[in-house]
Amino acid sequence: MIETNEFADVPTTTLADLLGREQVMDIGIRPLWGPVPRIAGPAFTVRCPPGDNLMLHAAIHRAPAGSVIVVESGDLDHALAGGNVCAVAQRRGIAGFVADGVIRDLAEVREAGFPVFARGVIPIPGTKKAVAPLGEPVRCGGVRVEAGDVVVADEEGVVAVPGTRLTETLTAARAKLAKEAEETLEQWERAHRQRVDEALAAGGFEG
């Protein structure tokens, strides 16, 4: 059985090559400060309706250490979390937030070094009224994320690795990275030039 933190050594670009577009969140889900460290951990899923952040605030006290809290919201008008919520999450060992929404108190979050990948910032807080189950499948950045998936996020983007494909994906990623490490730039350039020229010729390009 693999440890989910083993994915911390795998760039999201490598995972995207292996898993394809459907597992990569859209470009709106981005690091809110940088340079941000890569995070990787099991998804702890949360759903917050527009204007409300209760369940994210509940999740920081319930998610296991090492988790990446993944939030479905889509609301750009009310902050899901602020500096204190992020500080408590960090204190409890949460790896970071990946939120389809916005936060506030960015300066505090940046100073603390807590990784947040979201759509942006807004100073308006949400309310705390809407109760919903934790740990159910969510949609974040266009990607379905389930408990048991591993979420990897870095400055290139956010990828959700399905829980049913963890071993095969990690094995393939390690093999790909090892092969790339052995290849010199000259070797890569020759192979790349050949592929490009073959594609051009197949398309009838002359020049």
Side-chain angles (χ1 to χ4, degrees):
M1 183 176 180
I2 69 168
E3 296 290 333
T4 56
N5 59 10
E6 294 181 70
F7 280 91
D9 295 327
V10 183
T12 55
T13 49
T14 300
L15 294 172
D17 288 345
L18 296 171
L19 295 172
R21 178 68 187 86
E22 65 180 11
Q23 296 306 126
V24 180
M25 295 186 188
D26 70 58
I27 62 171
I29 311 297
R30 63 190 188 278
L32 296 187
W33 57 268
V36 69
R38 181 178 301 123
I39 62 172
F44 189 89
T45 55
V46 180
R47 186 178 291 112
C48 292
D52 198 280
N53 58 32
L54 175 61
M55 296 317 299
L56 172 56
H57 290 225
I60 66 171
H61 300 289
R62 291 162 175 79
S67 300
V68 176
I69 294 183
V70 180
V71 188
E72 175 183 325
S73 172
D75 180 17
L76 301 181
D77 295 320
H78 304 86
L80 288 164
N84 285 343
V85 169
C86 291
V88 171
Q90 185 178 43
R91 179 182 295 178
R92 297 201 66 254
I94 304 303
F97 289 167
V98 173
D100 201 329
V102 294
I103 70 161
R104 67 180 195 164
D105 301 330
L106 180 58
E108 295 177 29
V109 176
R110 180 174 56 238
E111 184 176 353
F114 183 68
V116 177
F117 297 76
R119 293 199 181 274
V121 295
I122 198 167
I124 306 169
T127 60
K128 296 172 182 60
K129 297 179 180 179
V131 174
L134 295 170
E136 293 195 337
V138 298
R139 197 154 193 87
C140 184
V143 176
R144 178 182 169 89
V145 182
E146 301 182 14
D149 293 351
V150 168
V151 174
V152 183
D154 59 22
E155 62 185 2
E156 300 282 350
V158 185
V159 180
V161 184
T164 56
R165 299 180 61 185
L166 297 183
T167 300
E168 69 171 88
T169 302
L170 185 60
T171 300
R174 285 173 170 168
K176 189 177 191 313
L177 290 170
K179 180 180 179 181
E180 291 172 352
E182 294 174 354
E183 186 178 45
T184 67
L185 179 59
E186 288 71 23
Q187 291 171 326
W188 184 91
E189 183 181 10
R190 284 196 298 271
H192 177 259
R193 177 67 183 269
Q194 182 178 348
R195 289 195 303 271
V196 170
D197 287 348
E198 289 173 354
L200 291 171
F205 178 81
E206 296 180 5

